[in-house]
Amino acid sequence: MATRLPSADVEAGLLAHLNTNAEIADSRSFASSLGVPHKELEDVIKSLSAFRIVESSDITKETWVLTNEAKGYAASGSPEAQLVAAIPPEGASKGVLKEKLGDVFDIGMKAAAKNKWIGFEKGNKDLVLRKVEETKDELQEQLKRLENGEVIADKVIDDLKRRKLITKEKSIWYSLKKGPEFVVKRKILATDVTREHLKSGEWKDLEFKDYNYGAHGQPISMGYVQPLLEVRDAIQSIFLEMGFCEMPTNMFVESSFWNFDALFQPQQHPARDSHDTFFLKAPAKTTQLPDDYLEKVKQVHESGGYGSKGYGYDWKRDEAEKNLLRTHTTAVSTRMLYKLAQEKPFAPKRYYSIDRVFRNEAVDRTHLAEFHQIEGLFCDYGLTLGDLIGVLEDFFSRLGMSKLRFKPAYNPYTEPSMEIFSYHDGLKKWVEIGNSGMFRPEMLLPMGLPEGVNVIAWGLSLERPTMILYGIDNIRDLFGPKVDFNLIKNSPMCRLGM
């Protein structure tokens, strides 16, 4: 075995060898001859290459290496061979063998049975008997051959891969030759003038290392903006540019009245079922509802009004008082419109909100039970569906999403209603990103808003447009416990399409 050289002598040994032999064909073999790890020699090679003292060429090779489990089998024998060796002539119970062999027992039992090396006593499946006197441990031989660098048949490699006993490893080493600036002994260049240099006068004869103006500095420790927050800020800026005011959204817990009833959504609607909504156990109900307005909502549900027939059912206050985690921020819009209706004289308004909502949904690559909803509404006289489409195209074009489609839809509280679709280049298909429509008179007039005042509104999740803009195809990679922090760190400053 070669005597290991001190690290300081590795460079001298390499340069001396090149001076005599002109080249080094294999840096691995040379490292072994010096008695040093290849990594240590590699550091010296990179340093010398930077100063053009040596020239190096990469040699790359993929090789099969044994896993830790396989290394144990190469040393002690395969599980099946160990099992047979542990069975005495009279046989042994499974419990005794398992205690003796530990983790390899189950693997050894299957392989030994397959090789017909073992059997069982008739009528007693617990007693394991040897069926062969001697065994040829082919697995151990194959592993040792591979460990020694011998060529193994592809069929054997496939079998070892199936048993997860080998893994592919990429190795890189170098061939070396003299560089244009080759010297037998490198002169150490100074990087700084020290106090000792000045005192001794050595600074007069020092040669200094050139400054590398192209070198990168140390990475700056900094925080990174989560893609959702980045898109949220962009959307918020768009709303403000378009003249919208932000609505307060600090109430995650809402009553069924503001979340459903005030929106002219019937109490037997499927969305109000516990399979779709998270209801609270404590406090289960609220009593803080405006009685006059509540009576008007009850009337329009039961018998109609304002040109509507209503739903014709027995509306229950108990149902309206149930507390829940809000299923949409439209509950906030309802409160704001009711508040606006009480202000005289009426003044047109544009409202928006971006906050969290909750739905009892199955989680998949495009759905979460907790997500963020963006909502915008425009309240004024004489607004039409054309105004809504124009506002939506303006809004989404500012986000960089120009490929839009609109599809007729049904909502209890809007008529007409439209679903909004945008093309996702990553998924290669049209993805629904939101819903929109014009609030119904049955919702607006009981609040006290003047006749002729219309409200156009739309809502969408924050996650969907973020996925489209960043090219992400799984919502769980964006929000929740499975978020990859490298995605956050490496996200480009300029988002896709913007």
Side-chain angles (χ1 to χ4, degrees), residues 457-469:
W458 70 97
L460 61 143
S461 75
L462 177 61
E463 286 77 5
R464 292 281 179 87
T466 305
M467 290 171 67
I468 293 172
L469 293 170

Side-chain angles (χ1 to χ4, degrees), residues 207-244:
E207 288 188 35
F208 290 92
K209 183 178 179 181
D210 291 337
Y211 277 104
N212 181 3
Y213 293 103
H216 294 288
Q218 287 291 328
I220 301 172
S221 297
M222 58 184 291
Y224 298 91
V225 180
Q226 218 272 0
L228 275 176
L229 296 180
E230 197 165 3
V231 176
R232 177 192 174 114
D233 288 345
I235 291 174
Q236 191 163 32
S237 297
I238 290 169
F239 273 121
L240 295 175
E241 289 168 7
M242 295 175 68
F244 285 73

Side-chain angles (χ1 to χ4, degrees), residues 324-475:
L324 48 80
L325 293 178
R326 66 180 179 213
T327 61
H328 49 190
T329 50
T330 315
V332 181
S333 302
T334 311
R335 285 179 175 271
M336 292 301 294
L337 288 172
Y338 175 70
K339 182 180 178 183
L340 177 62
Q342 313 314 306
E343 299 174 2
K344 308 298 181 185
F346 168 79
K349 291 287 184 182
R350 302 183 187 192
Y351 292 126
Y352 83 92
S353 65
I354 308 172
D355 212 333
R356 204 167 293 189
V357 296
F358 310 86
R359 293 183 189 172
N360 195 0
E361 291 188 348
V363 175
D364 58 30
R365 64 189 306 109
T366 57
H367 294 86
L368 293 175
E370 175 186 352
F371 58 96
H372 297 79
Q373 184 173 333
I374 303 160
E375 180 138 351
L377 65 90
F378 191 169
C379 181
D380 201 352
Y381 286 99
L383 294 175
T384 66
L385 187 66
D387 294 312
L388 174 60
I389 293 174
V391 170
L392 290 175
E393 288 179 340
D394 183 17
F395 174 81
F396 284 104
S397 67
R398 293 172 187 243
L399 259 180
M401 298 165 65
S402 56
K403 297 179 182 178
L404 295 182
R405 281 181 181 175
F406 303 100
K407 176 183 173 184
Y410 168 76
N411 287 315
Y413 45 90
T414 57
E415 180 60 38
S417 307
M418 300 185 304
E419 292 174 346
I420 311 164
F421 290 81
S422 178
Y423 189 75
H424 191 304
D425 290 320
L427 294 175
K428 304 297 182 187
K429 67 177 183 178
W430 291 88
V431 178
E432 183 186 351
I433 57 172
N435 222 316
S436 65
M438 300 182 65
F439 283 147
R440 298 175 66 108
E442 297 96 324
M443 173 185 166
L444 300 179
L445 295 178
M447 295 177 176
L449 288 169
E451 289 196 29
V453 169
N454 293 329
V455 177
I456 57 175
W458 70 97
L460 61 143
S461 75
L462 177 61
E463 286 77 5
R464 292 281 179 87
T466 305
M467 290 171 67
I468 293 172
L469 293 170
Y470 277 87
I472 297 169
D473 63 1
N474 192 328
I475 196 170

